[in-house]
Amino acid sequence: MKIAVIGATGKAGSLIAEEALSRGHEVVAIVRDASKVQNDKLHVVEKEVNDLTASDLQGVDVLVNAFGTRDAEQHVPVGRHLIDILQQNPTTRLIVVGGAGSLYVDDAQTTRLIDTPDFPDAYKPTASNQGKNLEDLKQSSGIQWTFVSPGAFFDPNGPRTGSYTLAGEKLTVNSEGNSYSSYADYAIAIVDEAEKAAHVNERISVVTEAK
């Protein structure tokens, strides 16, 4: 399988790329700065994400969007650009590294985590714009996508336990009662979804154990 990772030198993207390589997949790193790519087994495409074209994705089975930016509003135009070019490549599936802010906290799915009183103001711009990206995906047609939300605490230094719990639109907790995901176990979940295509045109969520 050929898997392309946008943001393959970032915190989440690098682990997803390494996980895919470890399973024998052909991995394309789509990055702004090729000099930051350390693994010579990666095929490198140095390009701004908004400059990607449909031809860049020819032969790609799965495109993982692990785009990272300090400008939270960029998540929306980037997401829309990917929808546009994937409509020209309908066999390429999109998997989005999403956020937890748009997960619902009630069974009726009327209140999102971002709308709760204790949600930190500092994270609201990113959470809000990632939520808009999710809504654009739900309203799109002609593409295959999966939006994967981690736990509310997405831990770059967390352990790789080799397991995770899958859930849907509602915020879920681990055995300690925490909405938590380590980047390492989350990467396993992403590559599993790339291989199995078990949740096409759905948002799913992933929680993992902290130890």
Side-chain angles (χ1 to χ4, degrees), residues 67-86:
F67 172 74
T69 177
R70 293 176 181 171
D71 181 0
E73 292 185 355
Q74 286 301 307
H75 286 288
V76 175
V78 164
R80 290 175 181 170
H81 178 65
L82 295 180
I83 289 171
D84 288 342
I85 62 175
L86 286 168

Side-chain angles (χ1 to χ4, degrees), residues 103-114 116 169-171:
L103 289 168
Y104 293 100
V105 296
D106 60 332
D107 290 333
Q109 296 189 3
T110 58
T111 304
R112 301 173 303 165
L113 181 62
I114 190 177
T116 58
E169 295 271 4
K170 187 181 176 186
L171 189 77

Side-chain angles (χ1 to χ4, degrees), residues 99-156:
S102 57
L103 289 168
Y104 293 100
V105 296
D106 60 332
D107 290 333
Q109 296 189 3
T110 58
T111 304
R112 301 173 303 165
L113 181 62
I114 190 177
D115 301 320
T116 58
D118 294 332
F119 194 87
D121 287 341
Y123 298 135
K124 284 183 178 179
T126 296
S128 175
N129 283 282
Q130 287 185 325
K132 290 175 184 175
N133 180 206
L134 174 59
E135 289 307 310
D136 284 341
L137 289 167
K138 287 181 175 181
Q139 293 169 21
S140 69
S141 61
I143 70 168
Q144 303 177 72
W145 60 270
T146 307
F147 188 99
V148 188
S149 291
F153 180 21
F154 198 13
D155 186 1

Side-chain angles (χ1 to χ4, degrees), residues 182-197:
S182 71
Y183 276 61
D185 283 338
Y186 178 89
I188 295 173
I190 292 290
V191 181
D192 282 352
E193 179 60 27
E195 292 177 342
K196 298 173 183 176

Side-chain angles (χ1 to χ4, degrees), residues 2-80:
K2 188 174 183 178
I3 300 174
V5 182
I6 296 170
T9 55
K11 291 178 181 178
S14 60
L15 289 175
I16 293 165
E18 291 295 333
E19 179 68 26
L21 279 175
S22 74
R23 301 192 197 186
H25 297 297
E26 179 182 356
V27 182
V28 179
I30 300 173
V31 295
R32 298 186 190 99
D33 184 355
S35 68
K36 293 183 179 180
V37 177
Q38 301 297 316
N39 192 326
D40 60 9
K41 294 181 180 178
L42 293 168
H43 302 281
V44 180
V45 173
E46 187 178 51
K47 216 166 192 181
E48 292 288 341
V49 63
N50 282 320
D51 293 332
L52 286 174
T53 66
S55 62
D56 290 323
L57 303 181
Q58 287 294 325
V60 173
D61 298 294
V62 176
L63 174 66
V64 177
N65 178 14
F67 172 74
T69 177
R70 293 176 181 171
D71 181 0
E73 292 185 355
Q74 286 301 307
H75 286 288
V76 175
V78 164
R80 290 175 181 170

